[in-house]
Amino acid sequence: MMKRIDAIIKPFKLDEVKEALEKLEIFGMTVIEVKGFGQQKGHTELYRGAEYQVDFVPKVMLSIVVDQKKVEPAIEAIVNAARTGKIGDGKIFLSDVSECIRIRTGERGPSAL
Amino acid sequence: MMKRIDAIIKPFKLDEVKEALEKLEIFGMTVIEVKGFGQQKGHTELYRGAEYQVDFVPKVMLSIVVDQKKVEPAIEAIVNAARTGKIGDGKIFLSDVSECIRIRTGERGPSAL
Amino acid sequence: MMKRIDAIIKPFKLDEVKEALEKLEIFGMTVIEVKGFGQQKGHTELYRGAEYQVDFVPKVMLSIVVDQKKVEPAIEAIVNAARTGKIGDGKIFLSDVSECIRIRTGERGPSAL
Amino acid sequence: MAKLPFLIGILLSSPGVLMAAEIDKADTAWMLISTALVMFMVPGLALFYGGLVRSMNVLSVVMQSLFAMGLMGLQWAILGYSLAWGSDHGGFVGGLEYLFLDGVGQEANGTIPHVLFMMFQGMFAIITPALIGGSVVERIKFSSFCLFILAWGTLVYDPLCHMVWHPQGFLLTRGSLDFAGGTVVHISSGVSALVLALMVGKRKGYGKQSLPPHNLLFTLIGGALLWFGWFGFNAGSALSSGGLAANALVTTFLSAAAGLFSWTLAEWILIKKPSVLGALSGMLAGLVAITPAAGFVGPGPAILIGLVGGLVCYLGVRIKTRFGFDDSLDAFGVHGIGGIFGALATGLFASALVNPAGTDGVFYNLETGLHLLGEQILAIGVTVVYSVVVTFLLGKAIDLTLGLRVTEEEETQGLDATLHGESAYQS
Amino acid sequence: MAKLPFLIGILLSSPGVLMAAEIDKADTAWMLISTALVMFMVPGLALFYGGLVRSMNVLSVVMQSLFAMGLMGLQWAILGYSLAWGSDHGGFVGGLEYLFLDGVGQEANGTIPHVLFMMFQGMFAIITPALIGGSVVERIKFSSFCLFILAWGTLVYDPLCHMVWHPQGFLLTRGSLDFAGGTVVHISSGVSALVLALMVGKRKGYGKQSLPPHNLLFTLIGGALLWFGWFGFNAGSALSSGGLAANALVTTFLSAAAGLFSWTLAEWILIKKPSVLGALSGMLAGLVAITPAAGFVGPGPAILIGLVGGLVCYLGVRIKTRFGFDDSLDAFGVHGIGGIFGALATGLFASALVNPAGTDGVFYNLETGLHLLGEQILAIGVTVVYSVVVTFLLGKAIDLTLGLRVTEEEETQGLDATLHGESAYQS
Amino acid sequence: MAKLPFLIGILLSSPGVLMAAEIDKADTAWMLISTALVMFMVPGLALFYGGLVRSMNVLSVVMQSLFAMGLMGLQWAILGYSLAWGSDHGGFVGGLEYLFLDGVGQEANGTIPHVLFMMFQGMFAIITPALIGGSVVERIKFSSFCLFILAWGTLVYDPLCHMVWHPQGFLLTRGSLDFAGGTVVHISSGVSALVLALMVGKRKGYGKQSLPPHNLLFTLIGGALLWFGWFGFNAGSALSSGGLAANALVTTFLSAAAGLFSWTLAEWILIKKPSVLGALSGMLAGLVAITPAAGFVGPGPAILIGLVGGLVCYLGVRIKTRFGFDDSLDAFGVHGIGGIFGALATGLFASALVNPAGTDGVFYNLETGLHLLGEQILAIGVTVVYSVVVTFLLGKAIDLTLGLRVTEEEETQGLDATLHGESAYQS
Ligand SMILES: Nc1ncnc2c1ncn2[C@@H]1O[C@H](COP(=O)(O)OP(=O)(O)O)[C@@H](O)[C@H]1O
Ligand SMILES: Nc1ncnc2c1ncn2[C@@H]1O[C@H](COP(=O)(O)OP(=O)(O)O)[C@@H](O)[C@H]1O
Ligand SMILES: Nc1ncnc2c1ncn2[C@@H]1O[C@H](COP(=O)(O)OP(=O)(O)O)[C@@H](O)[C@H]1O
């Protein structure tokens, strides 16, 4: 069984999280720039001397499909690398992936990761 | 059980959808800018007097993970807020999320949302 | 049952993949620009005569929700259209979608696709 | 009065002997480049405004200025120059002898070729209507906007230009001073922009959503072109090279620097964040405020005008939140308010020592100064009333026929795609 | 003929007494800034072109113009100036006495310093080859492009410049008129661009995918720099300040405004969408069309030339869809077609009243006009044939050795990353 | 010596009769536009630097240059001009008679209006401190930076300007040559930038992450403005129109072209990738290197200076990777190294034939040349030592009070949002 880990983190933590995952020999991942809404409030911005509230916070979403057995180590690595202790550190969501195909070779299953 | 709601909507509806969700006390969500292909055809653009067809339509995808019991109200809220009645209003896809972790605290499950 | 196909491909293959899917009468999809990490290494870039390594590779992620029975033909079409035979051609991930709603009409299930 | 060399040229020579006046090559060199500099302000304005709107509307905003170059450029050659600078009719408007630039050639007009004088003035006639666009972006119909500026240029700009700058113009002969266009350019466009914004109505979402600038770097580039070009605008209004042009260039720079400084400082103190848009807006405020005064006041007063001008316009743009109208890019807040302030300041700080063609203002000679101030107020009043009335009538007429505003769907999807068939950016 | 002051300088003085001619400081001031203005067009071109390609190739396009500044700048100083402006050899090419700028100093050449004349001319020698790049973007090898423009500048531009502008150049002495480079700059680069585009072949995906501009704001900025710089290009070609320069500046502006207007209007009527790229293209068409005529025609004809020039080029760029070649950024459609149209229009509208060094064109004096028109056609013919032949030979030679085109993989991944090791944008 | 006309003006006339000197309108025309051109370099610098940082800090970088316009513009009018150009005190600093521009009016100073001379010089006083910002971007506190440049301008720039350019300045009277600011502008800012970078420390992630430029097109636009404006900077330093200005303009262009060429070629040979940033950096290196020499050397030597200058600065920017300091945008690598190289090269290539106010350098006359070279080295030494010491003291003082560096959180989240309350881009 394969699992998909979607981790939403602070953008400047990307490099550290990536390194932490590489230590676990997880070399494949896909990164998406997203905007987050949550408990962390956006900042205020100026427009000609008037302030307005910016609701969203720039975040980065990592999408990593791993073999079941790497899920827990991966989560732990991400949590440790991405944590600053301040509101807005982000979330990790886990879901099932029923199949994986490597386009180049057509091979399927965990070995295609 | 937690569910992931992926709602693809028209970009200018984002604010209204967000407000509708906040009324349901759903405060967390992640927003991605995407391009959509579907029944709604893109517009034509000009290039030095020649017209060409632009296939894609800018859309916004909201990814919201909620507790099972909030799924139906959330869907209803999104549908109401995002509907214009014209082709291209978008879709909502539902899928399962097996786990959720809050990076800041490490807590798991629905309470981490 | 509906399935979600997330295909990460090389950006310049998007048009070909889209055409291949249209041949299967799959007309709906959502496209996200992403950065990929994997076996394909990024290139080196210059900064004032110094070289540095760019880790990520621009990729495009197609997210397509289809009826169960179209999954295999779709995968085959994507693999054929997106393959160049070189490292970095990308992956396809399959997962379950439990429900689909068309915002415009409120209809649900495969017919809402 | 700023147009003195021209004035002398006209007075001393009947049209038949105009060719006898002599061209000064140095004056001509400066006016050639000044004309180019003012032209450069038009894309500057396009970029300044373009950066401040949402990305789906940037091209529609750019197009307002860009197309004004074609439309008003031709209008000027065909009709406008004659209306503004043809032989006087009652102090209000020029005759039709220069239609299609008939008789406008390389002969001297003052000390520069007539055709060059015509072109320098033409650039002002292009940028002024383009300024108005700033208050109605993201929702005005392009066709209606074009029609509006064509009529406005002909009915408002051209006569005002005549009244204020033509040697027999009634505001000039009465004694008001406007070196480079405080009334003609800034007040006229600023108040017209306000009227038009009220007629077109607010943008969808205004007050609820934030509608922030989509690219401040383009606004910076536009601001740079404007500042650079403004040297031609103000120092070129000396219509000659030499001390007066130098004075105007220096006062222009110092007022802009001072406006930049004071607006930024105001933000820094009040909101703790000195912003780039604040700095650029203050610079613009300083430039607007010094425009009528540039060739009549010295460097010291220019700094004061800039410092206060920055603060006045800072307040000016805040008004709209109080009154709730949507002057989207503050065409009124900056050009209207700043122009009025500058015209008044000219009455206070003008000095005959700086420019013998001017008068001493209130701070140098109370008697002549109060008279001057009175004339300044009159000129402001005439400009405001005339611009407001004609703009209102034109706006109503267009609204009832073509309609001023795009459809809600066009506004929602963005004007670039719906009106112009383009997207500014592709990823 | 545009180079008359220079011509007189040369004729009246043997080289030994060239120092005796007198420098006019006002002419020099105008030529200093004109030279700077033409230089400014090169980054203008880089931006104009750069905005029109896909973002993965923008730097490769920018680099074509930017590196031309270094490469052709040095070529001009070392060899090109002498080939173009050295003592005449048979009306075709100059001698080698100015190699390494030997003998090119502060002495007067006409009324400006010789070294300044050299530099002003040098800017034309830089931008002309850079124009060619527009037809072969997104697929030409950078090394091959550099080699090509180096050889093309030496073998095509320098001799053509001599033939058309040198006082003993054979096209000049026969009587053809080219004020600022209709043949030398625009036709030569335009037709060469077409030949090169045919040799390099179409871009992958051309005709199937849409390949839209990635950033029209950069194209706008580039267009602004081009328009602004063109005042130096055309009005600077008077080589002096005064009436002629003023005339050239005014005709340049009016033609650009008219071209902008007519192209935009054509789109508006035909496709219902007036576009920013259309406005910019029309402006460019107007500028190209007026270039040979700027100092020979008056403002009225300039408007006509611009109006028609805009429409002609609009058709010009549509040709390629008919014939299916990939002149990617319309270097031929705008510069080739527009240049030919402008050279012909000069034969129609030139007036000796505007410039005594010119001739009356067809519309003013049928006799001299028809002769002039004949010479214009000859000059066009010589330019086209010569440019096409040499470009073809050079292209073939390079294709057989270095290869003209990048690999398919490089084209797919973008030239910025593969050839230049850079990405323009990081998010 | 570059300021010779000014020098003569001062020497020949007691202040009381300064008004008697005559204004030359052609010189004034050229200086009007030169002043505008140098002003244009400031937003040019903002864009050049702004494109090179990460998008979350671009506004903070832009703001350094922009606010310098307000802050240092006012400082110059109030105090700086007097300190630099007031009556001499011991060869080191000027008197206070020009405080608040008292007595600085339209009267002639040399052959141009005094007020214009003041403003032209003022632009140098603005851009020089802004250059320093390049080494400390993305982490310096904005308030501290403002305080620093205010003090640095007053304590370093103003006196240095006096020593090097004032007719009684001690470096000028000893005989060193600096046409347009090799020592005063580039060396002083370059070495100060290095010291400040060491004091502020490296950016978080420096050496580990890549921190690539976020938008090279803005850097290109900035580079274009810088090159264009540099014609005013260097050729305007002739303070007159004519042969000397022409020479300076030509050497400026050729050196920039040569620097662009050599740096790009070095990359092409060493790394196989000729880059746009390389071309722009080489251009800048060529411009910096020719600055002190522009009016003293001929076109041939200018090419050499550019070629070598490009290579020297290429090495200059590579030093930092060896020594591991974070001169983020290479203010030291380009301006410091390039300025020192240029000042030395002036000692080698200067020729009295080019400029009688200069001296023959080593390659033309060994005797005068060696003396000149000695003076050049002295001027470099004085500039380096003085700038380093004062910068260090100022930096320490500010660090101990306000603190030089933002908090880690501010640095992480970006200075635009945290210090300036803005985002440059909205999608
Ligand atoms: N229910 C949710 N569904 C999807 N994304 C969420 C959800 N809740 C939070 N997020 C994402 O996680 C980010 C961080 O959440 P936030 O509540 O601000 O802080 P914390 O992670 O410390 O609880 C948000 O910006 C958003 O992108
Ligand atoms: N099968 C699908 N899989 C993924 N995304 C889809 C699918 N069908 C539609 N979409 C997304 O939904 C958007 C709206 O769909 P469209 O067919 O245009 O109109 P409607 O929502 O009115 O049926 C599309 O632009 C696309 O982003
Ligand atoms: N385990 C994974 N999880 C998520 N995305 C992955 C994973 N592995 C690879 N990818 C995505 O697929 C792309 C291609 O993978 P790569 O290993 O470079 O080559 P290949 O597809 O030929 O095996 C990557 O750039 C990345 O976006």
Side-chain angles (χ1 to χ4, degrees), chain E residues 46-70:
Chain E
L47 286 161
F48 192 91
Y49 276 175
L52 293 177
V53 299
R54 286 168 291 173
S55 59
M56 68 179 182
N57 293 319
V58 53
L59 294 178
S60 75
V61 170
V62 157
M63 194 65 175
Q64 293 180 347
S65 302
L66 200 58
F67 195 64
M69 202 94 102

Side-chain angles (χ1 to χ4, degrees), chain F residues 236-266:
Chain F
S237 287
L239 295 176
S240 59
S241 174
L244 184 59
N247 187 82
L249 182 135
V250 171
T251 53
T252 299
F253 177 81
L254 291 176
S255 180
L260 188 161
F261 184 79
S262 68
W263 182 309
T264 311
L265 213 69

Side-chain angles (χ1 to χ4, degrees), chain D residues 72-82 98-102 118, chain E residues 254 299 303:
Chain D
M72 302 314 293
L74 296 183
Q75 183 272 359
W76 187 249
I78 293 170
L79 174 62
Y81 179 63
S82 205
Y98 293 143
L99 278 199
F100 286 93
L101 299 183
D102 193 36
M118 177 281 298
Chain E
L254 290 175
I303 293 179

Side-chain angles (χ1 to χ4, degrees), chain E residues 195-241:
Chain E
V195 173
L196 205 59
L198 290 169
M199 298 181 80
V200 175
K202 300 179 200 176
R203 283 168 293 176
K204 196 166 169 346
Y206 179 73
K208 284 183 284 176
Q209 287 165 255
S210 61
L211 311 172
H214 87 285
N215 192 318
L216 283 175
L217 270 276
F218 288 132
T219 298
L220 170 74
I221 296 173
L225 300 200
L226 286 171
W227 196 342
F228 182 58
W230 222 293
F231 289 133
F233 198 93
N234 282 4
S237 287
L239 295 175
S240 59
S241 175

Side-chain angles (χ1 to χ4, degrees), chain A residues 8 34-40 57 59 86-91 93, chain B residues 28-30 63-66 102-104 112-113:
Chain A
I8 296 150
V34 301
K35 306 185 222 166
F37 295 83
Q39 293 179 55
Q40 183 194 7
V57 188
K59 298 275 172 197
K86 303 227 179 76
I87 283 179
D89 276 351
K91 314 269 187 223
F93 300 122
Chain B
M29 66 195 88
T30 299
S63 200
I64 314 148
V65 177
V66 291
R102 187 195 305 271
I103 291 175
R104 172 163 47 97
L113 284 175

Side-chain angles (χ1 to χ4, degrees), chain A residues 26-31 63-66 102-104 112-113, chain C residues 8 34-41 57 59 86-91 93:
Chain A
I26 297 176
F27 294 112
M29 67 195 88
T30 299
V31 176
S63 199
I64 313 147
V65 177
V66 291
R102 188 195 304 273
I103 291 175
R104 172 163 46 97
L113 284 175
Chain C
I8 297 151
V34 301
K35 308 184 219 168
F37 295 84
Q39 292 178 56
Q40 183 195 8
K41 291 299 159 226
V57 188
K59 299 275 172 199
K86 303 226 180 75
I87 282 179
D89 275 351
K91 315 268 186 224
F93 300 122

